[in-house]
Amino acid sequence: AMSTALPNLEQLMISKLGSGHVYSDGDDPEEWDIDHINYIIHDINIISRFRKLRILDFCKAPLTGRYPVLFNFPLLQELSITCCQNLKFDLDMLRGFPLLEDLYCNDNQHLTGNISSLRVFKGTLKSLDIRRCLSVRGNFMELADFPHLKNLYLYNTAVTGDIRDINVHDFPALESLYLPDTVHGGRQYEFQQISEVPSFMQTIHLLLQRTPTLFSKYCLSPAFDWTLSEDSPDWYEEDESKI
């Protein structure tokens, strides 16, 4: 009824339901913590009828399993999926959003895939923000030639790479950058040798020359929090007897 009444709907949020209500299961569902046998089931697949959606937001939605029909909106520009712990999806599934500009995924334990899958959005993607999605992998440099990418935030992911690989022509529109500790030179990265530090600092210096505000959102110190690994041959314990 809603899809008939609102055929031109462009923005939709899917969130929690009231007590005694659940969404229909997807393929390969996870077991719920509570028994839903007497709950009223709502068919989530109905939203596939809104073909003109441009903004879609899933926030703490009680979804479980895979829902291919939720990943096929040809006009969608903004997608946000937050705290959907039992929703299973892969970055490859985003191909159903050919005009995607902004992608935000936060705290989704069943999100998988390689960020190289996002290369289909080279001509459109402006903001990529993936947080606490530990099964997202790949090299962040796969996105280096994206002409419109302004924000790149990859916190608590398995993405790898080396900030020293960024050259003057890479990430031409980038305004904000946050890389995880799995990237050489990323946030909270642990150096194995002190002698490595100058080359990383040179890269940071060049990046800041090009974009002075690149790390300002987090302040320069918190943006890195680099440390020396305790396994490093350069590591030594402080002699408290001399203090």
Side-chain angles (χ1 to χ4, degrees):
M2 183 182 292
S3 59
T4 303
L6 301 171
N8 297 318
L9 188 69
E10 295 186 358
Q11 183 170 348
L12 180 64
M13 170 181 277
I14 305 296
S15 189
K16 292 181 178 180
L17 292 171
S19 177
H21 296 258
V22 294
Y23 292 118
S24 53
D25 288 350
D27 301 328
D28 188 26
E30 293 289 306
E31 292 291 334
W32 289 108
D33 295 333
I34 57 177
D35 188 359
H36 289 163
I37 191 170
N38 294 319
Y39 278 43
I40 298 173
I41 298 175
H42 299 269
D43 184 11
I44 189 65
N45 296 315
I46 194 174
I47 76 166
S48 64
R49 301 176 186 176
F50 297 111
R51 305 309 297 162
K52 297 185 179 181
L53 281 180
R54 297 182 184 275
I55 301 173
L56 181 57
D57 185 356
F58 296 94
C59 182
K60 298 181 180 180
L63 299 168
T64 179
R66 295 181 179 275
Y67 301 83
V69 297
L70 303 185
F71 293 86
N72 183 21
F73 295 98
L75 301 180
L76 200 77
Q77 296 174 329
E78 298 180 23
L79 175 65
S80 176
I81 304 178
T82 304
C83 299
C84 296
Q85 295 293 351
N86 291 322
L87 175 63
K88 298 180 179 180
F89 64 110
D90 188 278
L91 293 178
D92 274 331
M93 297 173 68
L94 304 182
R95 293 174 180 269
F97 310 127
L99 301 181
L100 191 65
E101 296 181 359
D102 300 315
L103 174 62
Y104 178 73
C105 292
N106 181 11
D107 205 8
N108 300 297
Q109 64 178 352
H110 288 295
L111 169 58
T112 61
N114 193 304
I115 59 173
S116 62
S117 299
L118 302 179
R119 290 200 58 77
V120 295
F121 306 118
K122 177 182 175 181
T124 62
L125 197 64
K126 296 179 180 179
S127 180
L128 176 61
D129 191 331
I130 301 179
R131 314 181 187 202
R132 290 181 288 276
C133 299
L134 300 178
S135 295
V136 172
R137 63 191 188 281
N139 192 311
F140 79 97
M141 290 298 293
E142 291 279 359
L143 311 175
D145 59 347
F146 280 38
H148 309 297
L149 186 62
K150 294 182 178 181
N151 303 300
L152 179 58
Y153 192 112
L154 301 169
Y155 173 67
N156 272 19
T157 66
V159 171
T160 58
D162 191 320
I163 62 168
R164 294 172 297 183
D165 292 336
I166 303 176
N167 66 46
V168 66
H169 301 295
D170 293 329
F171 300 104
L174 201 63
E175 297 176 357
S176 179
L177 177 65
Y178 188 114
L179 298 172
D181 60 2
T182 45
V183 170
H184 294 292
R187 174 79 185 268
Q188 297 179 333
Y189 176 68
E190 289 190 351
F191 288 96
Q192 294 302 311
Q193 294 182 322
I194 293 176
S195 60
E196 295 178 306
V197 177
S199 62
F200 284 88
M201 290 304 301
Q202 175 66 12
T203 296
I204 298 300
H205 174 67
L206 294 174
L207 287 172
L208 289 174
Q209 278 189 321
R210 188 180 73 175
T211 311
T213 60
L214 190 61
F215 305 105
S216 62
K217 185 176 181 179
Y218 316 103
C219 298
L220 278 176
S221 178
F224 303 106
D225 287 341
W226 291 339
T227 59
L228 183 66
S229 170
E230 293 186 14
D231 297 326
S232 168
D234 297 330
W235 174 271
Y236 63 90
E237 295 288 346
E238 185 177 39
D239 187 350
E240 295 183 359
S241 64
K242 296 183 179 180
I243 297 177

